[in-house]
Amino acid sequence: LTNFPQTCGGTMSGRRDVWADEGHEEEEHGLLESQQIYQEETNMGESILRRREQITDITKEITDVQEMFQDFATMVKEQGVEIDDIESNILDTKEKTQEALKEVVMASDYTRRKRNALCYTFLFFLLILLGFGLFAWELSDSSD
């Protein structure tokens, strides 16, 4: 329709130009639709790529979390062994402390008995000296 003055001339070539222009407009309209479809597909492709990147990022994060849990499990297992060792050491210490307490009680009894024996021995020698002293005094008094 843009070539309206040409078509009014009545020539056949003018009609062809109009038909050519109409075909050209249809081509342009089809081209625009193709471009829109291409743009939508491109946008959809970009959206799919973004989603894939997001999925990849999430997968990496999940893998990192899984590794952290595995590390924690390893640490807990190692600490469990250490805790078992500590518990065993505590039980051994308890037994040895009880044995040491028995030894201290025995040593205390021994020391007390030794001190008593020493006191009795000292008292015995003191009595012997006193006896000798009295005997010597009696002898010196009877000789006068």
Side-chain angles (χ1 to χ4, degrees):
L1 295 178
T2 58
N3 292 331
F4 181 70
Q6 292 176 354
T7 57
C8 291
T11 62
M12 198 66 166
S13 67
R15 288 186 184 155
R16 284 186 202 150
D17 288 341
V18 171
W19 287 340
D21 284 344
E22 287 177 1
H24 183 65
E25 286 178 10
E26 288 177 11
E27 247 181 59
E28 283 182 15
H29 183 68
L31 185 60
L32 285 175
E33 285 181 3
S34 296
Q35 286 176 344
Q36 287 175 345
I37 291 171
Y38 175 75
Q39 187 64 33
E40 289 174 3
E41 288 176 353
T42 302
N43 290 342
M44 200 176 348
E46 290 174 359
S47 175
I48 290 171
L49 287 176
R50 277 192 302 258
R51 291 212 177 181
R52 282 185 183 170
E53 288 174 0
Q54 290 173 345
I55 290 171
T56 302
D57 291 344
I58 290 171
T59 303
K60 288 178 183 177
E61 290 174 5
I62 289 172
T63 302
D64 291 344
V65 169
Q66 181 184 10
E67 288 175 4
M68 286 174 34
F69 274 110
Q70 288 174 345
D71 291 344
F72 286 142
T74 302
M75 287 175 20
V76 166
K77 186 177 180 180
E78 289 173 357
Q79 288 177 354
V81 170
E82 290 176 8
I83 288 172
D84 290 343
D85 289 345
I86 291 170
E87 182 180 6
S88 175
N89 289 340
I90 289 172
L91 292 174
D92 288 345
T93 303
K94 180 182 176 186
E95 289 175 13
K96 289 182 181 181
T97 303
Q98 289 172 347
E99 290 175 14
L101 180 61
K102 289 177 185 176
E103 294 287 329
V104 168
V105 168
M106 286 174 46
S108 176
D109 287 344
Y110 176 75
T111 303
R112 185 177 45 83
R113 280 188 256 138
K114 186 176 177 183
R115 190 176 345 120
N116 288 344
L118 185 63
C119 286
Y120 291 138
T121 305
F122 179 71
L123 188 60
F124 176 73
F125 282 122
L126 186 63
L127 287 175
I128 290 178
L129 279 176
L130 187 61
F132 279 130
L134 283 175
F135 182 70
W137 186 63
E138 283 290 323
L139 281 178
S140 68
D141 262 351
S142 49
S143 47
D144 285 325

